[in-house]
């Protein structure tokens, strides 16, 4: 049975690629929510337009993907979040940006809107105002409970966000996050932008995933235009994506250990991370490899000495990394902090469709590189590690195994990198009007969804970028419950959710 | 573990020689730092980093300053957890409207004499996010800026050059 077969719909958007998008009535919308609630489908994305809302869904069994759209003729849509909690922050965001109101919603508190923009519902195209009210945190009541408020400016060099802990002595009873501080209005800046400008914005959605976002954006454009990047370009894209994954995992493994007061590991992985960035700089001319991937292909070839720089990097990693793993594995004081700390229940990981190491450390066997087999991954061999424990230790081990897999992938890519074109020319304009594309790309922290619509002149009409963090942040709230406040930095680091990527 | 420790002691230093302070940064600073402040601070600076809405790319490179290659502490530059302990605010991002107040309050909480260093293209004038309804445009739209370090993101070497220029001036050499 196809994913849309059980969902009554009125029409299908013909220009939506590669997966179907169907317009549904209220009955279809409710049927889709039913399937999410039953667990038959996983919510992949939920975003708005001035007069419509869209939900992307995945059938985990068949790996089929589809989008359902609901026309908000009365400016409202039936609430998804009131029945399916993973939709909550996305639903509040849709309301903040577009003013579309979920009917029968339990929670309509603003999410991104801190009443500082000087206008309400900035992407709605309308001029309506909203009453400013102080933000209400959820209540936590009981004897001897106290609150600890942290942020938005944190003690370390990290992104801004607010955490409200309610604690009983040392133990956290509830953590509530409030984000939105880095909201820059990326999706509004994208509207009407040229592909070139929009690709740059996509690159800067979350700096640590610059390659993954550029990759996803480029592929979404290519899907919409029905073109394909040349093989050499796709190999170079994956090369950069794996380098980015390596650099981030190495940095994070050390940072997690550092939060467990084991600075030696941090110093050692810091060296390896820096070596990755330097090799990336030699090969692609930018340490974070920004602005290399564009719709159609890549803007530059790997430098003449890039391949040898990358081979030297791999040799160094193969020599040093196994010893660092041994060190992690043999340090009892470190394991004492990471084992059984910050457990994400497998059931929650499944319900929230948690991507990346957060999902895979809690038994969710999903990786966009394998599930959607986008080029060049369809022709590369790699394993997707999965563990069940769901604690900080499991998330560290998933990252360790992923470092090993990235090394294997980079080797394969370097071996396969034959001569070839770098770019497929884009059409100057599209004869038949708007077209839409969607992709799922595996960033280091999980799958990034990019959905866009291009107009006839190849300008972006609307683009939505969904970071894996949307479905990971809420799980961090559950993971910290019952732990002590002092373990929060450790748990938080093991997630390393993006702020900029969800604040947009 | 012992083996790893010993090896790291023997395989030579990774730390690089210091880059020369950035000339244009020196010129920008020459007009801003007075002698009294120089005498008071000597040759060390405590830095408080504030992300005022960046994409996090700049933060990644600021982090790199502490790795074994750049080892920023050898210059007397160190990152501190509170603005109350800081001489320098290192601010990134196209200050978002949602962060404006937090930046102002962090600035006000930093004791005088203090310097503000705006890091990255976004911090200068909003960069790629210029013109957004959600951003005020650049750090100097909210707090006075003493030094800009450009780049998207600036490399650790660029950051170090700028910070060394600041240190030169504060230390009384300029
Ligand atoms: S300057 Fe570049 S790297 Fe830094 S915050 Fe802005 S977009 Fe990100």
């Amino acid at each position: 049975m196809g994913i849309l077969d059980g969902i009554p719909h009125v029409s299908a958007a013909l220009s939506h690629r590669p997966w179907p998008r169907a317009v549904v009535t209220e009955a279809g919308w409710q049927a889709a929510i039913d399937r999410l609630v039953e667990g038959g489908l996983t919510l992949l994305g939920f975003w708005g337009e001035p007069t419509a809302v869209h939900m992307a869904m995945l059938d985990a069994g068949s790996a089929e993907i589809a989008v359902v759209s609901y026309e908000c003729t009365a400016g409202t849509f039936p609430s998804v979040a009131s029945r399916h909690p993973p939709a909550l922050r996305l639903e509040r965001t849709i309301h903040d940006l577009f003013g579309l109101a979920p009917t029968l919603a339990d929670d309509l508190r603003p999410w991104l809107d801190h009443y500082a923009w000087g206008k309400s519902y900035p992407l709605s195209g309308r001029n309506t105002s909203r009453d400013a009210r102080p933000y209400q945190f959820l209540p936590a009541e009981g004897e001897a409970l106290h609150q600890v408020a942290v942020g938005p400016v944190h003690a370390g060099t990290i992104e801004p966000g607010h955490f409200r802990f309610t604690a009983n002595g040392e133990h956290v009873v509830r953590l509530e996050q409030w984000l939105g501080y880095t909201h820059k209005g990326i999706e509004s800046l994208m509207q009407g932008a040229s592909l070139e400008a929009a690709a740059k914005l996509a690159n800067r959605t979350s700096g640590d995933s610059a390659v993954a976002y550029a990759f996803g954006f480029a592929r979404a454009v290519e899907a919409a235009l029905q073109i394909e990047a040349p093989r050499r370009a796709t190999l170079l894209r994956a090369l950069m994506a794996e380098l980015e994954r390596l650099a981030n995992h190495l940095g994070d493994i050390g940072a997690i250990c550092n939060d467990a007061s084991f600075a030696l590991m941090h110093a050692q992985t810091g060296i390896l991370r820096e070596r990755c960035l330097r090799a990336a700089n030699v090969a692609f001319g930018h340490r974070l490899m920004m602005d290399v991937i564009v719709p159609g292909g890549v803007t530059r070839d790997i430098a003449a000495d890039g391949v040898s720089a990358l081979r030297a990097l791999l040799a160094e990693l193969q020599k040093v990394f196994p010893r660092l793993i041994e060190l992690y594995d043999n340090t009892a004081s470190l394991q004492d902090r990471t084992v059984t700390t910050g457990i994400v229940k497998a059931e929650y990981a499944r319900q929230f469709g948690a991507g990346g190491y957060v999902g895979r450390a809690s038994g969710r066997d999903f990786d966009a590189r394998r599930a959607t087999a986008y080029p060049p991954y369809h022709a590369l061999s790699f394993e997707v590690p999965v563990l069940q424990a769901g604690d900080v230790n499991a998330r560290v081990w998933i990252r360790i195994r992923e470092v090993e897999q990235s090394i294997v992938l980079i080797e394969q890519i370097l071996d396969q990198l034959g001569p070839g074109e770098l770019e497929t020319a884009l059409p100057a304009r599209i004869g038949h009007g708007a077209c839409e594309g969607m992709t799922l790309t595996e960033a280091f922290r999980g799958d990034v969804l990019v959905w866009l619509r291009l107009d006839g002149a190849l300008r972006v009409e609307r683009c939505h970028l969904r970071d894996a963090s949307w479905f990971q942040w809420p799980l961090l709230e559950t993971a910290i419950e019952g732990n002590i406040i002092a373990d929060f930095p450790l748990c938080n680091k093991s997630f390393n959710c993006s702020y900029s990527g969800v604040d947009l | 573990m012992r083996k790893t420790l010993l090896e790291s002691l023997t395989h030579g230093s990774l730390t690089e020689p210091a880059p020369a302070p950035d000339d244009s940064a020196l010129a920008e600073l020459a007009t801003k730092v007075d002698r009294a402040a120089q005498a008071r601070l000597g040759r060390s600076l405590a830095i408080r980093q504030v992300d005022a809405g960046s994409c996090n790319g700049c933060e990644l490179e600021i982090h790199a300053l502490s790795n074994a290659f750049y080892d920023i502490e050898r210059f007397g530059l160190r990152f501190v957890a509170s603005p109350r302990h800081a001489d320098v605010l290192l601010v990134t991002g196209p200050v978002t409207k949602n962060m404006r107040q937090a930046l102002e309050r962090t600035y006000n909480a930093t004791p005088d004499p203090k310097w503000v260093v705006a890091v990255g293209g976004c911090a200068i004038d909003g960069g790629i996010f210029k013109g957004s309804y959600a951003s005020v445009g650049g750090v100097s739209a909210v707090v006075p800026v003493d030094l800009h370090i450009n780049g998207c993101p600036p490399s650790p070497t660029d950051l170090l050059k700028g910070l060394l220029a600041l240190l030169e001036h504060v230390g009384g050499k300029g």
Side-chain angles (χ1 to χ4, degrees):
Chain A
M1 189 176 86
I3 180 168
L4 286 172
D5 292 354
I7 300 171
H9 51 278
V10 280
S11 63
L14 292 176
S15 68
H16 190 274
R17 305 178 187 100
W19 300 297
R21 177 168 83 79
V23 178
V24 295
T25 59
E26 183 159 350
W29 188 254
Q30 293 290 4
I33 302 173
D34 288 342
R35 304 271 305 272
L36 294 172
V37 174
E38 290 155 11
L41 298 179
T42 306
L43 185 66
L44 278 185
F46 183 22
W47 65 95
E49 288 198 76
T51 57
V53 285
H54 309 279
M55 267 198 291
M57 301 171 305
L58 162 83
D59 182 327
S62 63
E64 259 189 278
I65 291 171
V67 178
V68 290
S69 307
Y70 179 82
E71 301 284 351
C72 307
T73 33
T76 59
F77 61 93
S79 168
V80 180
S82 60
R83 298 184 55 208
H84 190 57
L88 182 58
R89 290 178 182 183
L90 289 157
E91 188 165 292
R92 288 164 66 186
T93 295
I94 290 171
H95 185 239
D96 284 351
L97 298 182
F98 296 95
L100 299 171
T103 47
L104 300 176
D106 306 321
D107 185 353
L108 247 190
R109 290 174 300 157
W111 178 248
L112 295 180
D113 188 354
H114 296 192
Y115 304 119
W117 300 332
K119 65 167 156 182
S120 311
Y121 314 125
L123 272 73
S124 68
R126 294 182 298 273
N127 243 340
T128 22
S129 66
R130 178 181 202 177
D131 292 337
R133 292 201 188 95
Y135 194 76
Q136 292 288 329
F137 287 91
L138 298 174
E141 285 166 10
E143 255 181 73
L145 293 186
H146 64 280
Q147 284 201 347
V148 182
V150 178
V153 178
H154 300 300
T157 301
I158 58 169
E159 300 179 84
H162 185 83
F163 298 108
R164 187 64 64 100
F165 296 91
T166 306
N168 187 349
E170 281 280 276
H171 288 87
V172 180
V173 176
R174 163 174 270 164
L175 159 64
E176 192 181 344
Q177 301 148 357
W178 189 31
L179 306 180
Y181 292 93
T182 72
H183 177 72
K184 301 180 261 298
I186 291 183
E187 292 190 0
S188 101
L189 290 166
M190 284 241 182
Q191 288 177 348
S194 66
L195 289 182
E196 200 191 349
K200 285 207 158 128
L201 283 164
N203 246 274
R204 288 154 181 82
T205 304
S206 181
D208 51 22
S209 305
V211 173
Y213 272 94
F215 201 163
F217 180 81
R219 287 184 50 248
V221 171
E222 288 154 17
L225 297 176
Q226 290 181 289
I227 59 169
E228 266 180 39
R231 183 181 139 81
R232 185 176 170 87
T234 66
L235 284 168
L236 291 175
R237 287 172 171 187
L239 187 58
M240 288 184 265
E242 296 310 316
L243 264 176
E244 179 174 87
R245 193 181 323 277
L246 267 184
N248 282 310
H249 278 339
L250 288 167
D252 281 359
I253 292 169
I256 295 166
C257 295
N258 201 38
D259 277 339
S261 304
F262 195 65
L264 172 63
M265 190 74 147
H266 187 45
Q268 296 286 344
T269 58
I271 294 168
L272 295 181
R273 177 183 157 85
E274 178 69 19
R275 292 216 191 276
C276 285
L277 300 188
R278 288 180 175 203
N281 194 35
V282 171
F284 299 104
H286 190 284
R287 285 162 55 92
L288 304 181
M289 298 167 284
M290 283 177 171
D291 304 327
V292 183
I293 300 180
V294 292
V298 289
T299 52
R300 56 172 288 165
D301 205 346
I302 185 166
D305 49 354
V307 174
S308 55
L310 290 173
R311 294 237 187 242
L313 170 72
L314 294 184
E316 162 106 8
L317 284 168
Q318 274 153 342
K319 191 175 114 210
V320 179
F321 193 62
R323 284 198 251 151
L324 294 181
I325 304 172
E326 213 181 302
L327 182 59
Y328 177 78
D329 210 13
N330 291 334
T331 306
S333 63
L334 187 52
Q335 308 243 314
D336 188 43
R337 295 287 306 278
T338 60
V339 176
T340 71
T341 303
I343 294 175
V344 174
K345 289 186 192 149
E347 176 197 338
Y348 292 162
R350 187 202 51 72
Q351 185 193 18
F352 276 73
Y357 42 79
V358 174
R360 293 196 276 274
S362 293
R364 182 168 182 257
D365 187 4
F366 180 83
D367 185 313
R369 290 173 296 176
R370 188 186 56 196
T372 68
Y374 54 92
Y377 291 103
H378 64 304
L380 299 172
S381 65
F382 61 101
E383 285 163 23
V384 177
V386 178
L387 291 170
Q388 307 298 329
D391 54 4
V392 172
N393 181 50
R395 288 188 284 279
V396 171
W397 276 107
I398 295 283
R399 289 160 176 279
I400 289 174
R401 297 276 102 98
E402 289 184 13
V403 166
E404 295 165 350
Q405 291 302 312
S406 289
I407 294 174
V408 171
L409 280 164
I410 293 175
E411 264 173 348
Q412 282 176 59
I413 294 168
L414 292 178
D415 290 343
Q416 292 185 18
L417 204 57
E421 296 292 312
L422 296 177
E423 264 189 275
T424 301
L426 305 181
R429 49 183 307 111
I430 321 164
H432 47 78
C435 59
E436 302 169 340
M438 185 168 105
T439 53
L440 218 52
T441 308
E442 192 71 18
F444 87 100
R445 66 163 66 81
D447 48 293
V448 162
L449 178 141
V450 178
W451 177 88
L452 51 78
R453 182 187 298 121
L454 303 178
D455 68 13
L458 257 61
R459 276 186 310 262
V460 175
E461 223 174 80
R462 170 95 180 92
C463 177
H464 172 67
L465 308 149
R466 193 276 294 142
D467 197 84
S469 307
W470 280 103
F471 301 124
Q472 296 171 336
W473 273 120
L475 297 183
L476 178 60
E477 290 183 342
T478 72
I480 189 67
E481 268 170 41
N483 288 260
I484 57 174
I485 291 191
D487 275 340
F488 178 70
L490 186 60
C491 293
N492 191 23
K493 206 38 158 181
S494 75
F495 275 68
N496 191 11
C497 294
S498 174
Y499 297 68
S500 182
V502 299
D503 291 347
L504 284 178
Chain B
M1 174 166 165
R2 200 172 292 143
K3 205 169 119 205
T4 313
L5 275 171
L6 285 174
E7 270 180 34
S8 57
L9 286 176
T10 52
H11 74 26
S13 169
L14 296 166
T15 314
E16 301 194 326
D22 188 322
D23 285 343
S24 62
L26 280 172
E28 186 178 359
L29 283 166
T31 54
K32 294 186 176 158
V33 182
D34 67 45
R35 299 254 159 213
Q38 290 166 1
R40 182 150 154 206
L41 284 154
R43 280 193 58 88
S44 85
L45 287 175
I47 305 170
R48 173 64 255 213
Q49 200 271 334
V50 185
D51 176 340
S54 92
C55 82
N56 197 36
C58 283
E59 274 65 28
L60 295 175
E61 295 297 50
I62 292 170
H63 267 288
L65 289 173
S66 301
N67 74 30
F69 292 85
Y70 306 104
D71 186 21
I72 191 174
E73 293 216 6
R74 72 191 145 130
F75 302 112
L77 296 166
R78 97 204 124 82
F79 289 99
V80 294
S82 166
R84 300 197 191 282
H85 306 155
D87 310 306
V88 177
L89 293 181
L90 199 62
V91 189
T92 62
V95 184
T96 61
K97 291 194 179 158
N98 288 353
M99 269 306 283
R100 175 187 203 129
Q101 191 190 37
L103 176 60
E104 276 164 358
R105 288 171 70 171
T106 306
Y107 179 83
N108 291 336
T110 311
D112 284 325
K114 58 189 162 194
W115 292 272
V116 175
V117 179
V119 169
C122 291
I124 292 176
D125 63 353
I128 192 165
F129 304 107
K130 205 175 348 192
S132 162
Y133 65 86
S135 152
V136 299
V139 177
S140 62
V142 182
V143 295
V145 174
D146 299 288
L147 174 66
H148 293 93
I149 303 177
N150 206 350
C152 182
S155 68
T157 310
D158 293 336
L159 289 165
L160 209 46
K161 281 185 189 165
L163 290 170
L164 288 178
L166 182 66
L167 197 61
E168 290 266 304
H169 263 267
V170 174
K173 273 201 185 169

